[in-house]
Amino acid sequence: MQFTNIIGQNATKKYLIDSVQHNRISHAQLFLGAEGSGNLALALAYAQYVVCENKQAHDSCGECNPCRKAQKMIHPDIHYSYPTIGSKVKSTDFAVEWREAIAKNPYQNAYQWLQYLKADNKQGNITTDECDDIVRKLSLMAYEAQYKILVMWLPEYLGKEGNRLLKIIEEPPENTLFLLVAENADLIINTILSRTQMLRIPRIEEDALIEVLQKRQYLPLESAQQIALLAEGNYNEALNLIANFNNDNQTMLVRWLTIILQRQLNHFNAQTERFTELGRESQKNFLRYSLHFLRQCMLLKAIPKHRLALTQPETELARQITPTINIDKLEQIFKLLNDAYYHIERNANPRILFFNLTIKVGDVLLH
Ligand SMILES: [Zn+2]
């Protein structure tokens, strides 16, 4: 992974590169950032930069031997640790899957990775055996590079096993680097947290996200803007949205509201069927879209001159709808949709859910 492949995050990249160039490499670092921010990608690019034999001012060279090995994730001095399924297992038991999954999407979340391992409903964890393996690996001499590097993705999954790593993090063998990549500091034991230097990684800037969606996903500008708004700086979420993107979300919302507002009761069932046929991801997508739209309507009510995060046709729709609905009703509908989203995520029956939702939204709008 090279820095140039990472979306946005220019300030963080510069900080990381500077720290290597000025020999300020701290031996235990926590890359803390939300899902889809690129925290793992940054740690991988950083590790490659550290081992690169021909470092450039703004990136690793990408061509030297260590770079090629780092790129393929087979450098003998860069170790990876991540959640797995089962108790008597180590991360390296899943090295093939790991390389495949990261090559496909270094912005993936834990759920996707565990599904890749066919976890079904099983919990992931970083096991006792894995911790022992880490201590063993890091106690060996470096093979080729100056540093031995451990990239641990999601130390949240260590739980109390993290205590097994305290000693090695506190008194590491010479030239050892710990790069912990986390999303939620609250789930990491304090004794580990206090031994690392924390680097907070912000969400991806909207402009960078829009640009990458156009370049890599070939989206037209307007769709890229819409997806970027919904994804809120999470590239992984943007990819999910594209995979399930229903360009008809807006059309569907208009039709649904029209049916409700005009009391076309005979269309309630047909509309419910349309929602049901979408499938769960698109249903969530539609609800997320509608929530976003409602949030903008509420802003419009509160601050009429507010610059809306909506496309032109959506803005027109919002300006059409908002004068007739008061803020209290908007809030009630928002809550209904939010609850619906919650239940869809937890496998509620979509036919019953969307039918009830239509009735309840009608209750709010028409009374
Ligand atoms: Zn290189």
Side-chain angles (χ1 to χ4, degrees), residues 188-293:
I188 305 172
I189 53 174
N190 266 322
T191 39
I192 286 207
L193 271 188
S194 61
R195 285 165 172 79
T196 59
Q197 182 183 307
M198 190 187 292
L199 174 63
R200 284 185 190 278
I201 297 166
R203 292 169 182 279
I204 301 170
E205 311 83 328
E206 197 172 292
D207 288 347
L209 202 51
I210 292 172
E211 191 185 320
V212 80
L213 292 174
Q214 289 177 274
K215 280 195 186 149
R216 288 194 207 164
Q217 306 297 325
Y218 312 106
L219 292 187
L221 177 63
E222 191 158 302
S223 311
Q225 286 171 330
Q226 203 177 1
I227 298 267
L229 284 170
L230 295 173
E232 297 179 330
N234 176 343
Y235 183 58
N236 190 47
E237 182 63 32
L239 292 180
N240 284 336
L241 286 165
I242 292 169
N244 303 292
F245 194 54
N246 188 337
N247 267 318
D248 298 337
N249 273 340
Q250 187 193 329
T251 320
M252 193 149 46
L253 180 64
V254 173
R255 179 158 50 183
W256 186 45
L257 290 177
T258 310
I259 289 172
I260 294 173
L261 286 168
Q262 299 182 354
R263 301 174 201 250
Q264 300 173 5
L265 297 178
N266 51 336
H267 285 126
F268 274 26
N269 272 323
Q271 182 59 36
T272 301
E273 277 318 299
R274 260 180 236 126
F275 284 135
T276 307
E277 282 164 12
L278 287 178
R280 200 164 302 274
E281 284 309 311
S282 299
Q283 288 159 1
K284 278 163 61 181
N285 223 334
F286 171 73
L287 290 171
R288 204 186 288 120
Y289 171 82
S290 305
L291 285 165
H292 166 73
F293 181 79

Side-chain angles (χ1 to χ4, degrees), residues 287-306:
L287 290 171
R288 204 186 288 120
Y289 171 82
S290 305
L291 285 165
H292 166 73
F293 181 79
L294 277 176
R295 212 179 288 128
Q296 296 300 314
C297 288
M298 290 193 252
L299 273 172
L300 185 62
K301 272 260 185 261
I303 319 163
K305 287 197 175 146
H306 181 77

Side-chain angles (χ1 to χ4, degrees), residues 48 51-55 60-68:
Q48 179 165 336
V51 299
C52 174
E53 283 173 350
N54 187 17
K55 295 180 188 32
S60 49
C61 75
E63 286 167 5
C64 68
N65 217 356
C67 268
R68 285 172 199 271

Side-chain angles (χ1 to χ4, degrees), residues 87-221:
S87 54
K88 289 272 170 202
V89 291
K90 308 188 292 283
S91 293
T92 46
D93 297 338
F94 301 91
V96 176
E97 290 87 346
W98 172 248
R99 287 184 202 121
E100 278 173 8
I102 296 303
K104 269 190 203 149
N105 178 15
Y107 289 78
Q108 67 176 351
N109 63 27
Y111 178 78
Q112 287 164 308
W113 163 242
L114 293 172
Q115 289 313 304
Y116 202 75
L117 296 182
K118 306 197 169 48
D120 294 324
N121 289 325
K122 293 189 208 89
Q123 294 285 329
N125 60 356
I126 297 179
T127 63
T128 314
D129 286 19
E130 171 60 10
C131 292
D132 293 345
D133 200 42
I134 289 170
V135 173
R136 184 189 62 78
K137 282 190 287 205
L138 295 182
S139 309
L140 301 171
M141 294 288 288
Y143 291 95
E144 295 176 4
Q146 184 189 354
Y147 285 97
K148 287 165 287 180
I149 306 174
L150 175 78
V151 179
M152 178 181 281
W153 184 50
L154 301 177
E156 290 93 324
Y157 284 81
L158 274 170
K160 289 203 177 63
E161 295 302 329
N163 286 315
R164 294 173 180 270
L165 299 177
L166 291 186
K167 190 161 170 292
I168 197 163
I169 293 182
E170 190 151 64
E171 297 167 22
E174 222 180 324
N175 291 341
T176 307
L177 274 188
F178 290 91
L179 309 180
L180 307 182
V181 180
E183 292 174 1
N184 186 350
D186 294 343
L187 299 178
I188 305 172
I189 53 174
N190 266 322
T191 39
I192 286 207
L193 271 188
S194 61
R195 285 165 172 79
T196 59
Q197 182 183 307
M198 190 187 292
L199 174 63
R200 284 185 190 278
I201 297 166
R203 292 169 182 279
I204 301 170
E205 311 83 328
E206 197 172 292
D207 288 347
L209 202 51
I210 292 172
E211 191 185 320
V212 80
L213 292 174
Q214 289 177 274
K215 280 195 186 149
R216 288 194 207 164
Q217 306 297 325
Y218 312 106
L219 292 187
L221 177 63

Side-chain angles (χ1 to χ4, degrees), residues 287 291 333-343 357:
L287 290 171
L291 285 165
I333 298 172
F334 190 88
K335 188 174 180 319
L336 287 171
L337 293 180
N338 212 16
D339 289 350
Y341 186 89
Y342 176 91
H343 291 295
L357 184 63

